[in-house]
Amino acid sequence: MSDASPMAAIAPVRAQVDAHLSTLVHDVDGLMGVVVASLDGFALAQVGREEETVSRLAAMTSSMLALAEALGRELAIGSLGALILEASHGKVLMLTIPVQPPQLLMAACDQTSAMGQVLWHAKQCVRRLAATLPSDAAH
């Protein structure tokens, strides 16, 4: 798969993807930004973050989820659905978007966010994204 391929794949539905991400940011207090990334770490869409930062976040999200997937395999607990990181000044939620090839949603929150609310709204967003994003049956 070429680097431009994931971006080209979502181009026809880009407005819908952006709308889903904007709704998520609007509905969740303290949500600073969201990124949809390809499994290989390329930012496909984002709301609320500078583009330079988004590229780095997409790459890090991909790496973190790959590590979590390896941990899941090692412990024989199944495929990764979500990863939550909590830090002193905020939280990060990463979810797999079940399309082929899989894509990732990363939500960055400040310390005021209630993770239950973030998780619920993010899962709703992932369901909408999965219904919107093209899926490559051959992949």
Side-chain angles (χ1 to χ4, degrees):
M1 177 183 288
S2 73
D3 293 352
S5 181
M7 290 295 285
I10 73 158
V13 295
R14 181 61 187 257
Q16 290 174 290
V17 170
D18 289 345
H20 295 323
L21 297 181
S22 293
T23 298
L24 177 59
V25 170
H26 177 267
D27 289 349
V28 179
D29 292 335
L31 191 55
M32 299 182 301
V34 292
V35 177
V36 172
S38 64
L39 205 51
D40 52 358
F42 291 97
L44 305 176
Q46 76 273 346
V47 170
R49 283 288 185 175
E50 299 163 8
E51 194 165 327
E52 178 182 305
T53 303
V54 166
S55 295
R56 291 193 313 269
L57 291 175
M60 287 184 264
T61 297
S62 174
S63 297
M64 290 295 297
L65 286 169
L67 182 60
E69 279 284 341
L71 182 63
R73 280 192 308 275
E74 186 65 28
L75 295 174
I77 59 174
S79 182
L80 175 76
L83 179 63
I84 299 172
L85 302 171
E86 192 167 348
S88 58
H89 298 291
K91 303 160 192 143
V92 177
L93 171 65
M94 299 175 207
L95 297 169
T96 301
I97 303 169
V99 293
Q100 288 300 320
Q103 294 177 5
L104 315 167
L105 176 80
M106 189 280 299
C109 313
D110 66 21
Q111 63 271 27
T112 66
S113 295
M115 281 314 288
Q117 181 187 30
V118 175
L119 183 59
W120 188 85
H121 283 282
K123 284 186 174 187
Q124 296 299 317
C125 182
V126 162
R127 281 194 265 290
R128 289 189 296 269
L129 289 168
T132 302
L133 291 166
S135 200
D136 179 7
H139 202 272

